[in-house]
Amino acid sequence: MFSIAIGNAEINRKRRGDYFGYVPLDKQWPKPIQDEGPVAAYEIDSLSVWAYESFLRDCKAAGTPVIVLCSPYFMRSTSADTSMQIGKEIAAKLSVPFLDYAQDPYFLERRELFSDMLHLNDEGAKQYSSRVIGKIRPLLR
């Protein structure tokens, strides 16, 4: 939560170009894709889980359409991530669409679309947006 707050603070917006919350990254990831082994077990923050579920419930109660998207990562994973599974289960329980692009083959083959292993660069973000918009529109009707 702290990093999100800092990222949205006025001081940070003055340092980098910010377009209504979007900060384009121009770097290209230079390294080949890594094959990650099984995801190591880690403790789940129950407050984060509560906040996520509460946010989805509040959106639904207010009649606000909500869709959860997981953007691509530049790493191959051989096992399911616990937090991702929990996020999917909560979304399913609340009938909220969950679109998971974490291991999308299109992006796994294109390191030039990433700024680092976890973030798309500007071109990658544009291509990702183009690909998901067609999936989102029918869900909002």
Side-chain angles (χ1 to χ4, degrees):
M1 293 295 228
F2 183 70
S3 64
I4 292 171
I6 292 299
N8 288 320
E10 282 302 314
I11 191 168
N12 194 46
R13 290 181 182 189
K14 291 176 184 169
R15 284 187 302 164
R16 302 187 288 179
D18 182 319
Y19 305 95
F20 303 103
Y22 172 67
V23 179
L25 303 173
D26 59 356
K27 188 172 76 171
Q28 287 188 1
W29 184 245
K31 299 177 185 175
I33 194 165
Q34 293 183 4
D35 291 322
E36 297 293 314
V39 177
Y42 58 90
E43 189 174 333
I44 299 296
D45 179 358
S46 60
L47 183 58
S48 294
V49 173
W50 174 85
Y52 170 75
E53 184 168 349
S54 179
F55 175 77
L56 296 181
R57 286 185 188 281
D58 289 349
C59 287
K60 290 192 63 110
T64 303
V66 61
I67 300 168
V68 178
L69 290 159
C70 182
S71 57
Y73 302 139
F74 192 63
M75 64 181 86
R76 284 192 187 91
S77 182
T78 59
S79 65
D81 183 278
T82 305
S83 61
M84 181 79 78
Q85 287 304 118
I86 292 170
K88 287 179 181 180
E89 290 169 9
I90 291 170
K93 177 174 74 174
L94 299 175
S95 300
V96 171
F98 190 107
L99 304 178
D100 181 3
Y101 286 85
Q103 295 290 293
D104 186 298
Y106 177 82
F107 291 96
L108 290 177
E109 300 298 323
R110 293 170 174 83
R111 74 175 178 206
E112 70 277 4
L113 298 179
F114 288 84
S115 181
D116 59 42
M117 289 173 39
L118 301 177
H119 298 94
L120 293 163
N121 59 26
D122 187 48
E123 179 58 30
K126 289 174 182 172
Q127 289 191 30
Y128 174 61
S129 296
S130 294
R131 293 175 71 82
V132 300
I133 196 71
K135 301 282 186 186
I136 292 173
R137 279 192 177 128
L139 296 172
L140 295 176
R141 293 181 186 166

